[in-house]
Amino acid sequence: MSATPEERTHPSPEISPRVVIVGAGIVGCSLADELTARGWTDVTVLEQGPLPAPGGSTSHAPGLVFRTSPSKTLTEFARYTVEKFGSLRHDGVPCFDPVGGLELATTPERLADLHRRAGLAAARGVDGEVVSAARCKELWPLLDESMVLGGFHTPDDGLARALPACRAQLDRATARGARFLDRHTVTGVERADGRVTGVVTDRGVFPADHVVSAAGFWGPVIGRMAGIDVPLQPLAHQYARTRPLPALSGASREATWPILRFQDADLYFREHHDRIGIGSYAHRPLPVDPFGVPSYDEARARDMEMPSSYPFTEEDWAPSWADARRLLPALRAAEVESGFNGVFSFTPDGMPLLGETRELRGFWLAEAVWVTHSAGVARAVAEWMVDGRPSIDVHDCDVTRFEEAQRSPAYVRERGSQQFVEVYDVVHPHQPIEQPRPLRVSPFHARQERLGAHFLEGGGWERPHWYEANAPLVASLGAELPERDPWSARHWSPVAAAEARATREGVALYDMTPLRRLEVTGPGALDFLDRMTTNKLRKKPGAVTYTLLLDESGGIRSDLTVARLAEDHFQVGANSPADLDHLLRHAPAGVHIRDITSGTCCVGVWGPLARALVQPLTAEDFSHEGFGYFRAKRTHLGHVPVTAMRLSYVGELGWELYTTADLGLRLWDTLWEAGRELGVIAAGRSAFNSLRLEKGYRAWGTDMTAEHTPAEAGVGFAVRMDKGDFVGRDALRDRPEPTRRLTPLLLDDPAAVVLGSEPVSVDGTTAGYVTSAAYGYTLGRCVAYAWLPAGLAPGTGVHIEYFGEKVPATVAEEPLFDPEMTRIRR
């Protein structure tokens, strides 16, 4: 009999759920160790190859661990990997060697980026500094110093010894009761009533309450057996070792110099005693069909060292070998002793795939994980399984995060290959993907193109960020708009400032179609939504409520707007596919939830002239008295049936207008024609982001996540502790006063701009980091929100580090714009 949900979440010493992990690479071994350490000891790890080196990516991994990443989640994973492996030994061999890391700059652009990365490191708590070319030479004596402009040195990074780490964790897990079975090829996954029940192998069936696919590039194969789509693309990556180098003769240690990255040539280097190992991302993408990867025995029969080790392609290697010799003159007389094309996994966004699938409960993914992040991922998944949630936010790794349009094999292959190409690229935080585009467009797309829309991309959607048709309005700004530095000027236009002003002074149309819309219906819909969220929803039809989805510990899973359109009919404005997945998991019988995003569209009509635009189009009363704030009505605008909601994410009077996708173009044209004499414009996401930050409106996933409580994030007004029970209520009641808060900052210099993720120092010490930032065109200052210690009073001076410069800023009192809310409520 399977354990109950309560037993799975909080197992007693007598009851341990049966867990089968598919794959005994670094992730599978780490997960077995983490689970058994938490009391789940009935763990079986199945591996098709021989232990301890079964032939997957772990068996050939070079072991580089760099913790600095634009992703806070990946940094946390890598931090724990260093911490854990640093404490492990196997047969007297340390599982981690803290030789440090060194990233080189050979161009001014790369050097600037290293300063940015140093800021990311400081924001994430990683020790690192930008150093001179001379210091780089001291750290790596073989360098041609004349090529180097500087470097970024992280002294606590280093080399993870993957196979010893596997063995050490295998031994610990085995001592607690786990078993590791090699030479067991998985041939099927059993299920009943929507739950996994076991794993079928060529040597028998293993009953299970939970199955975790940690199969690496075989993940899609295991997923197909379970009826689960795994959006993962394996690619081959070149790695070579030189013959012994005279400059390294007599080496007594495996490595003494930092791991070296020459990212301007897509190369990395590490020592192997008296040899140098060289990895290259410079070659063409080499996608591998996961269903065509041979088994261990098949690979050996083909004279392959292991399934993950494909033949070395000399033609791809030649340019990288020339670049390596250019940087390291000692290689000019050297030869390559051996090389291979090692297979490892990429996803469309470069992040791991973690979590339990809803389609087959009890079936978990821990896929697309590199050695760098392995122990951290294992801890997060083990916490998720045992405690019901990870201790850190992992929403950007959640298996549910991709839209249906992003899960096709063609999309996964193309985007996975591009992730390989961009591994060492300088990627701007606003940089959109290039292909495949356009993928998803709103019904207004043709009109937007005619207006010269500059599109960026998100979730597969084409999103206008500004319109060249508004360029003539820039002249009216005069000298008010400061010049931008080259980095902050990317994917930005001064037109955004003109669009923001037009919204504040007139009226603008915003395409809000990509925002997710869910329809929740049925006789239990109200009870269900009220139980799942924090605010009071027991209001008459026509009410719209801002509310939160919490987890059991009180962390913010998402924020929602819930419109009660009829007694048992609700429209929910949500954030990601994970919101839909979460609600579907918990919906009782009789409650129906449907994603209506693709079949509908939305125009935001905002600005002081918004009422003057929409009122002549309808017989309904759109006055403030007749159509109050946070209210909804079904009506017609001209010939178009719409659901109108009196909401504003930009701090101005206006409505969100929803209709079906087939009528979207008619809605746009109706509004455009009606607004001509009012000077209506189309405005984009760049202006939108500026306006919402001036009002202090939070963006879930950027400003707040499951790591934060409502009180910390400044959205406690959306929590009604007196409304009755709801998910997370008990945890909030027992929470102490916050020690950190999401804090508004105004940069002191009107010309200064930051973009987000920068470290913030208080009294000279790094105390937090920026979440969202944008220039506030109405305020004449850049606005930045940051996680900082609670209790910083308005007026407190801080510094934000931007490309190595300390930019002064001041803690502000929010809301920064229109604190009396008079503009929205008129």
Side-chain angles (χ1 to χ4, degrees):
M1 179 182 295
S2 296
T4 67
E6 290 76 17
E7 291 165 342
R8 287 197 298 273
T9 303
H10 301 290
S12 69
E14 295 80 26
I15 301 175
S16 178
R18 297 166 300 178
V19 180
V20 174
I21 300 172
V22 180
I26 191 64
V27 178
C29 291
S30 296
L31 180 57
D33 183 47
E34 296 287 338
L35 285 173
T36 55
R38 287 166 172 78
W40 281 24
T41 55
D42 190 351
V43 175
T44 301
V45 184
L46 302 175
E47 175 52 61
Q48 58 106 15
L51 292 175
S57 300
T58 300
S59 301
H60 66 68
L64 283 64
V65 178
F66 283 89
R67 293 166 297 163
T68 303
S69 168
S71 165
K72 179 176 177 292
T73 305
L74 291 185
T75 297
E76 292 291 342
F77 288 160
R79 187 203 313 278
Y80 183 71
T81 300
V82 167
E83 176 186 323
K84 183 176 186 181
F85 290 0
S87 68
L88 294 177
R89 300 178 76 88
H90 179 69
D91 287 343
V93 177
C95 295
F96 182 77
D97 192 349
V99 294
L102 180 61
E103 302 176 44
L104 298 179
T106 60
T107 66
E109 294 76 16
R110 181 69 65 176
L111 183 61
D113 190 60
L114 293 187
H115 281 285
R116 184 178 71 94
R117 287 180 60 77
L120 285 173
R124 311 283 190 247
V126 175
D127 186 21
E129 64 173 335
V130 176
V131 297
S132 66
R135 177 59 176 152
C136 292
K137 177 73 171 178
E138 291 176 7
L139 292 165
W140 247 86
L142 299 189
L143 285 176
D144 180 353
E145 185 182 347
S146 68
M147 286 183 58
V148 179
L149 301 180
F152 175 47
H153 181 221
T154 47
D156 300 323
D157 289 337
L159 292 167
R161 297 186 174 93
L163 289 179
C166 281
R167 192 70 204 187
Q169 293 177 103
L170 182 155
D171 290 345
R172 297 202 317 187
T174 301
R176 301 185 191 112
R179 55 178 177 166
F180 289 74
L181 304 176
D182 63 1
R183 296 295 188 171
H184 281 65
T185 299
V186 174
T187 59
V189 175
E190 294 186 332
R191 70 203 85 174
D193 300 322
R195 280 204 61 86
V196 71
T197 60
V199 176
V200 183
T201 75
D202 58 350
R203 298 174 68 175
V205 178
F206 294 83
D209 302 304
H210 296 271
V211 173
V212 184
S213 178
F217 52 75
W218 281 292
V221 179
I222 303 302
R224 180 174 292 182
M225 295 177 191
I228 299 299
D229 173 40
V230 179
L232 176 159
Q233 177 60 56
L235 287 110
H237 160 61
Q238 290 203 306
Y239 192 79
R241 293 193 194 194
T242 66
R243 294 188 184 280
L245 297 178
L248 297 178
S249 63
S252 58
R253 291 178 53 192
E254 179 184 3
T256 57
W257 299 337
I259 309 159
L260 182 68
R261 293 206 282 192
F262 179 22
Q263 291 151 302
D264 291 321
D266 294 311
L267 294 172
Y268 64 83
F269 305 83
R270 58 153 295 182
E271 299 163 90
H272 292 280
H273 295 287
D274 59 355
R275 295 162 168 81
I276 296 292
I278 308 167
S280 172
Y281 293 99
H283 55 83
R284 62 195 167 97
L286 299 168
V288 173
D289 179 5
F291 296 90
V293 177
S295 68
Y296 186 89
D297 291 330
E298 289 170 339
R300 301 293 285 182
R302 298 185 199 175
D303 292 327
M304 296 168 62
E305 184 179 347
M306 62 185 79
S308 62
S309 179
Y310 276 49
F312 196 60
T313 49
E314 294 284 354
E315 66 276 15
D316 292 311
W317 176 249
S320 293
W321 184 228
D323 285 333
R325 288 172 150 181
R326 191 161 52 91
L327 181 72
L328 305 178
L331 298 181
R332 293 171 188 170
E335 295 180 350
V336 172
E337 182 177 64
S338 62
F340 64 95
N341 289 0
V343 182
F344 63 143
S345 304
F346 285 83
T347 58
D349 61 1
M351 298 294 286
L353 294 168
L354 310 180
E356 183 186 25
T357 63
R358 178 177 48 82
E359 297 85 352
L360 182 59
R361 300 299 299 272
F363 186 81
W364 297 73
L365 296 183
E367 297 290 11
V369 182
W370 296 4
V371 171
T372 303
H373 311 115
S374 55
V377 163
R379 178 179 66 170
V381 174
E383 291 171 338
W384 211 339
M385 295 174 73
V386 177
D387 303 325
R389 68 182 294 271
S391 58
I392 65 170
D393 171 60
V394 296
H395 81 273
D396 50 2
C397 305
D398 196 298
V399 296
T400 64
R401 70 186 182 272
F402 294 116
E403 304 283 349
E404 190 62 32
Q406 298 174 299
R407 303 181 75 95
S408 70
Y411 186 93
V412 173
R413 180 185 177 96
E414 188 166 354
R415 291 304 310 147
S417 297
Q418 188 61 29
Q419 288 296 324
F420 176 91
V421 170
E422 294 177 355
V423 164
Y424 281 168
D425 286 359
V426 177
V427 178
H428 192 276
H430 297 161
Q431 181 173 318
I433 68 170
E434 295 179 1
Q435 295 294 335
R437 290 180 64 190
L439 184 62
R440 307 174 79 186
V441 298
S442 80
F444 325 128
H445 187 71
R447 299 294 187 265
Q448 293 165 344
E449 286 190 310
R450 190 179 298 172
L451 292 169
H454 181 87
F455 294 100
L456 299 184
E457 184 271 352
W461 287 100
E462 294 297 313
R463 301 178 183 228
H465 273 242
W466 65 84
Y467 295 85
E468 285 302 320
N470 297 323
L473 302 178
V474 175
S476 66
L477 300 174
E480 297 176 24
L481 194 63
E483 296 238 349
R484 289 204 171 203
D485 66 274
W487 183 253
S488 65
R490 291 191 197 179
H491 309 294
W492 173 85
S493 168
V495 174
E499 293 176 358
R501 172 179 280 187
T503 307
R504 291 276 188 242
E505 296 179 354
V507 61
L509 305 185
Y510 287 82
D511 182 2
M512 306 304 289
T513 300
L515 300 185
R516 184 167 304 278
R517 294 172 290 285
L518 310 178
E519 181 183 74
V520 183
T521 58
L526 175 59
D527 289 340
F528 166 64
L529 289 172
D530 200 50
R531 168 82 176 92
M532 295 297 294
T533 66
T534 60
N535 213 335
K536 290 183 178 180
L537 300 185
R538 298 187 182 279
K539 303 172 183 177
K540 293 179 181 179
V544 183
T545 306
Y546 176 79
T547 187
L548 307 173
L549 277 178
L550 304 183
D551 60 26
E552 294 287 354
S553 70
I556 304 171
R557 288 188 58 98
S558 189
D559 63 343
L560 312 174
T561 54
V562 179
R564 191 176 191 184
L565 302 181
E567 201 69 23
D568 299 320
H569 184 181
F570 295 82
Q571 181 172 308
V572 177
N575 284 297
S576 74
D579 294 343
L580 173 63
D581 183 85
H582 181 65
L583 293 173
L584 285 171
R585 286 174 186 266
H586 292 86
V591 173
H592 307 286
I593 304 172
R594 189 165 65 97
D595 189 331
I596 61 172
T597 310
S598 297
T600 57
C601 59
C602 178
V603 181
V605 182
W606 290 310
L609 300 181
R611 183 174 288 115
L613 192 158
V614 297
Q615 183 63 84
L617 298 172
T618 178
E620 290 281 349
D621 183 2
F622 268 58
S623 69
H624 183 63
E625 295 72 25
F627 197 155
Y629 193 53
F630 267 86
R631 299 292 299 172
K633 283 186 180 183
R634 285 173 161 167
T635 184
H636 287 78
L637 295 181
H639 296 94
V640 183
V642 300
T643 298
M645 297 186 194
R646 178 89 183 274
L647 304 175
S648 176
Y649 206 52
V650 299
E652 294 294 337
L653 170 69
W655 288 264
E656 293 178 357
L657 303 173
Y658 299 89
T659 192
T660 53
D662 59 323
L663 291 167
L665 195 58
R666 185 60 179 263
L667 174 61
W668 181 278
D669 288 345
T670 298
L671 295 168
W672 190 259
E673 281 301 314
R676 278 185 182 276
E677 61 185 39
L678 299 173
V680 69
I681 68 161
R685 299 287 299 184
S686 186
F688 177 88
N689 198 46
S690 170
L691 297 170
R692 71 100 180 166
L693 280 173
E694 289 185 328
K695 282 299 293 180
Y697 293 146
R698 277 58 168 156
W700 185 85
T702 302
D703 298 318
M704 56 189 186
T705 68
E707 291 185 359
H708 310 113
T709 67
E712 292 173 331
V715 289
F717 63 87
V719 179
R720 299 299 178 92
M721 296 294 287
D722 60 347
K723 77 162 190 168
D725 194 25
F726 58 85
V727 175
R729 182 178 184 275
D730 291 345
L732 292 186
R733 185 187 57 211
D734 299 334
R735 281 268 186 171
E737 280 295 307
T739 58
R740 61 179 178 176
R741 290 190 186 276
L742 189 61
T743 305
L745 305 174
L746 282 175
L747 274 61
D748 294 351
D749 182 353
V753 174
V754 298
L755 298 182
S757 298
E758 297 89 355
V760 182
S761 58
V762 179
D763 296 330
T765 301
T766 300
Y769 61 93
V770 174
T771 56
S772 293
Y775 199 85
Y777 302 112
T778 317
L779 302 173
R781 293 283 193 282
C782 184
V783 180
Y785 271 78
W787 281 103
L788 291 171
L792 294 180
T796 302
V798 301
H799 286 88
I800 302 173
E801 184 176 325
Y802 183 71
F803 285 89
E805 298 293 325
K806 300 289 187 180
V807 179
T810 301
V811 174
E813 191 166 2
E814 61 177 343
L816 304 172
F817 176 78
D818 188 25
E820 303 301 322
M821 302 286 282
T822 55
R823 299 177 71 90
I824 291 178
R825 301 179 184 274
R826 56 185 168 186

